[in-house]
Amino acid sequence: MSGDTFVFHPNEDVSRAARLSDFIARAGLQDLAALEREAAAKPEWFWDYLANYFGIRFSTPYEAILDLEDGPEWPHWFVGGTTNIVLTCLDAPIAEGRGDETVIISHAEDGTTHSLTYRELDLKSRQLANALASLGIGKGDPVAIYLPAVAEVAVVFFAVARLGALFVPFFSGLGVVAVAERLRDVGAKAIVTVDATRRRGKPIPMKAVIDEAVSTAPSVEAVIVVDQGIVSWSPGARDHDWSQLLDQSPPEFATTIVPAEHPLLIVYTSGTTGKPKGTVHTHAGFLLKVALDYGLVLDIKQGDRINWISDPGWLGATGRIVASTLFGACFILVDGAPDFPDEGRLWRLVEEDKVTVLGVSPTLVRSYIAGQTDPHRYGDLGSLRYFACTGEPCDRESWNWLFEVVGRRRLPILNLSGGTETGGSILGTSLLHSLKPCSIGGCIPGMAADILRDDGTSTAPDEKGELVMRQTSVGLTRGLYGDRQRYLDTYWRSYPGIWRHGDIASRDADGLWYVQGRSDDSLKIAGKRISAAEVEAHLLATGLVADAAAVGIPDPVKGTALVCVCVPISSVVEPGTALAARLIDAVARAAGSAFRPKQVLFVSDLPKTKSMKTMRSAVRSTLVGDTTGDSSALANPEALLELEAAIRSAS
């Protein structure tokens, strides 16, 4: 913020050697600010220059990089071009003689480690592509994964890409109902899973979840199981063993060349309605956005080793697989808890793998602060170049601890903010930026970000407003899968012709940016997003409650904790601890254990507007003790008094 002082300035030698500095110089521009202005003024020049700078391969060159005939909501990119992401990420480095470089390492919680070189990843992805083709999977068919952080995620991704099929990752903590809903929505023809994984030493069945989920998803014709030997499972009619499939498949497969805008992956995120949103990303578009975020902003280079704690079900993990193969880095996946069997696990891996880039979330950092962890007791962290921080807005305590205790004030924190819908980050910090606590360096070139008031005018320094993009971007989702109107209503109708991202942000007088949180009712629990309506739908599905409101309140470890306020059905005479436990378990089972509510409270009525909409903001304010809100829009203000009494009774 404007009152804060800078606590870090970039090393001149490091900044000079950064790829961003080279990019600016080759473009004939003076500095980063000039690049941001030029990219906003000449977007076609910028994206074309970026594609050529990073050597993105096309089988048929594009005739024009951008056609806005149908408006910014529906841009046409790389007009006339054909490609496949495999050409740039696997074929090119192998042709350059780098086939024996390790690009993927995965660590299981029990200490087992697997690795893949370019050549091994290329071979296995060809074999799996053949296996999928033999199962009837072809161009445009959705193939889902429900996998923990294992090396096989990368194999599936590139196999599906080779086919011209659709890669559809699911968060590995989703429950049966959530998995089944997404399988039906996308019409998945196949899904890849494991028998089980381990979390804090305990087996977590995953195949069993899929068995139940596919029973209500008739489109699924094949279930491929990576047997980790954790739990036993009985093959069903649709089941296939991963190892047997690959062993029986030939090593040659001709990569399918597709239009540059052919869909590559569908990644689900939740908004403010119960139905999950499937964001659509393309071969050339996603590849170029990854190149921008990881190659230009984060300066990922050949030889970097990236340990970035994230689930394969989120867009970021796929982005890091692509970035590692694209730039000759190595992506390190860590399955299980990063602080098990003890709090030193993550820090030992930094030393053992000679990690240069450590990606964290504020939630992860808070867990170490709570445990009073000294990372330097467990490993030599001298290999690190910087920290990357994403997933949720960073709080000051977490930022300061990471910067001062872990980084010893020598390592910058490259804070980023964006989303699944944008294919990556809108705002980012580079090695050229000076830092204040919790700051983000600025708008990523080409993203044309701004912060607007409700009337569409730009905010003043330190004034909060809606984060927007004034132009379309190559990384933006190509609509929402199967729901054209929802896409327009969600992102393009608040400010016509301008993308509204749904985050509240501000800029200070020094040009640094800050993100405060979501402007809608989407919830982020420990960095994982779910809509309030989806949680409420799971509560109502139990048949035990007549109405429900799900809200997030501040939590010292998770950042946000989920609290549910419910109206029991009339036949429930005395709602209490047992009913609350049943509802908590129901949400955890349906949505996943990550979204287990912290508390359930019971009332006879929820606060409603005069149009009978539940006023979640009033519920949230009451839970946190904020009495300054305006209740004049409520049809039943007495509902807040009852909620206050329920809070007192539960405390």
Side-chain angles (χ1 to χ4, degrees), residues 1-44:
M1 297 297 181
S2 295
D4 289 334
T5 58
F6 287 99
V7 296
F8 179 88
H9 295 284
N11 177 284
E12 289 187 10
D13 291 336
V14 172
S15 295
R16 194 178 301 114
R19 188 185 280 113
L20 182 55
S21 294
D22 177 72
F23 187 89
I24 292 169
R26 292 193 183 203
L29 299 171
Q30 184 176 0
D31 54 22
L32 179 56
L35 175 61
E36 292 173 7
R37 290 193 298 270
E38 196 78 358
K42 303 175 182 177
E44 292 182 59

Side-chain angles (χ1 to χ4, degrees), residues 275-362:
K275 185 175 181 289
K277 297 180 297 184
T279 65
V280 184
H281 304 278
T282 66
H283 277 256
F286 184 64
L287 178 56
L288 194 52
K289 182 65 172 104
V290 167
L292 172 63
D293 287 4
Y294 291 89
L296 204 61
V297 178
L298 292 180
D299 198 50
I300 299 297
K301 295 177 178 177
Q302 188 171 351
D304 269 323
R305 298 171 76 83
I306 308 164
N307 184 328
W308 199 315
I309 304 297
S310 63
D311 190 272
W314 306 129
L315 184 79
T318 306
R320 288 182 272 281
I321 289 170
V322 171
S324 296
T325 53
L326 177 61
F327 297 119
C330 178
F331 180 33
I332 298 160
L333 296 98
V334 179
D335 191 23
D339 58 352
F340 184 88
D342 59 67
E343 63 184 10
R345 183 189 183 205
L346 175 62
W347 314 110
R348 283 193 296 270
L349 289 176
V350 169
E351 178 179 8
E352 292 169 11
D353 292 326
K354 295 181 173 54
V355 172
T356 59
V357 175
L358 181 61
V360 299
S361 68

Side-chain angles (χ1 to χ4, degrees), residues 134-152:
S134 72
L135 295 173
I137 306 299
K139 184 178 177 181
D141 288 334
V143 178
I145 66 164
Y146 185 65
L147 292 169
V150 292
E152 286 82 359

Side-chain angles (χ1 to χ4, degrees), residues 237-506:
R238 287 178 284 197
D239 295 345
H240 303 271
D241 180 83
W242 169 281
S243 296
Q244 292 178 5
L245 272 181
L246 264 63
D247 289 345
Q248 296 166 2
S249 298
E252 297 301 326
F253 185 89
T255 298
T256 304
I257 300 302
V258 295
E261 280 290 85
H262 184 73
L264 169 69
L265 69 154
I266 296 175
V267 187
Y268 279 91
T269 184
S270 293
T272 55
T273 65
K275 185 175 181 289
K277 297 180 297 184
T279 65
V280 184
H281 304 278
T282 66
H283 277 256
F286 184 64
L287 178 56
L288 194 52
K289 182 65 172 104
V290 167
L292 172 63
D293 287 4
Y294 291 89
L296 204 61
V297 178
L298 292 180
D299 198 50
I300 299 297
K301 295 177 178 177
Q302 188 171 351
D304 269 323
R305 298 171 76 83
I306 308 164
N307 184 328
W308 199 315
I309 304 297
S310 63
D311 190 272
W314 306 129
L315 184 79
T318 306
R320 288 182 272 281
I321 289 170
V322 171
S324 296
T325 53
L326 177 61
F327 297 119
C330 178
F331 180 33
I332 298 160
L333 296 98
V334 179
D335 191 23
D339 58 352
F340 184 88
D342 59 67
E343 63 184 10
R345 183 189 183 205
L346 175 62
W347 314 110
R348 283 193 296 270
L349 289 176
V350 169
E351 178 179 8
E352 292 169 11
D353 292 326
K354 295 181 173 54
V355 172
T356 59
V357 175
L358 181 61
V360 299
S361 68
T363 295
L364 179 65
V365 173
R366 284 191 292 269
S367 70
Y368 285 115
I369 296 174
Q372 299 182 332
T373 304
D374 177 8
H376 296 278
R377 287 178 49 206
Y378 297 101
D380 181 353
L381 310 185
S383 61
L384 290 175
R385 296 173 58 204
Y386 61 80
F387 302 110
C389 187
T390 57
E392 58 188 300
C394 196
D395 60 281
R396 189 176 292 262
E397 182 184 13
S398 299
W399 197 98
N400 287 337
W401 184 83
L402 188 63
F403 180 64
E404 295 175 0
V405 176
V406 187
R408 294 178 171 174
R409 302 183 67 88
R410 76 174 182 87
L411 298 176
I413 300 174
L414 305 191
N415 216 352
L416 305 114
S417 184
T420 305
E421 304 93 329
T422 54
S425 298
I426 299 173
L427 309 176
T429 310
S430 74
L431 295 174
L432 278 57
H433 284 105
S434 296
L435 307 179
K436 296 179 182 179
C438 302
S439 67
I440 306 176
C443 169
I444 290 177
M447 303 308 288
D450 198 358
I451 304 171
L452 300 184
R453 304 183 180 98
D454 289 344
D455 63 5
T457 58
S458 297
T459 57
D462 293 326
E463 180 184 0
K464 296 177 183 178
E466 287 277 356
L467 177 64
V468 304
M469 292 192 301
R470 290 190 172 275
Q471 296 173 355
T472 192
S473 159
V474 76
L476 277 185
T477 178
R478 290 2 181 211
L480 295 177
Y481 191 76
D483 202 336
R484 178 185 178 96
Q485 192 58 47
R486 187 182 181 200
Y487 167 69
L488 296 172
D489 291 343
T490 302
Y491 302 108
W492 293 100
R493 292 300 184 242
S494 298
Y495 307 99
I498 294 176
W499 172 277
R500 183 188 75 90
H501 192 59
D503 279 344
I504 296 295
S506 63

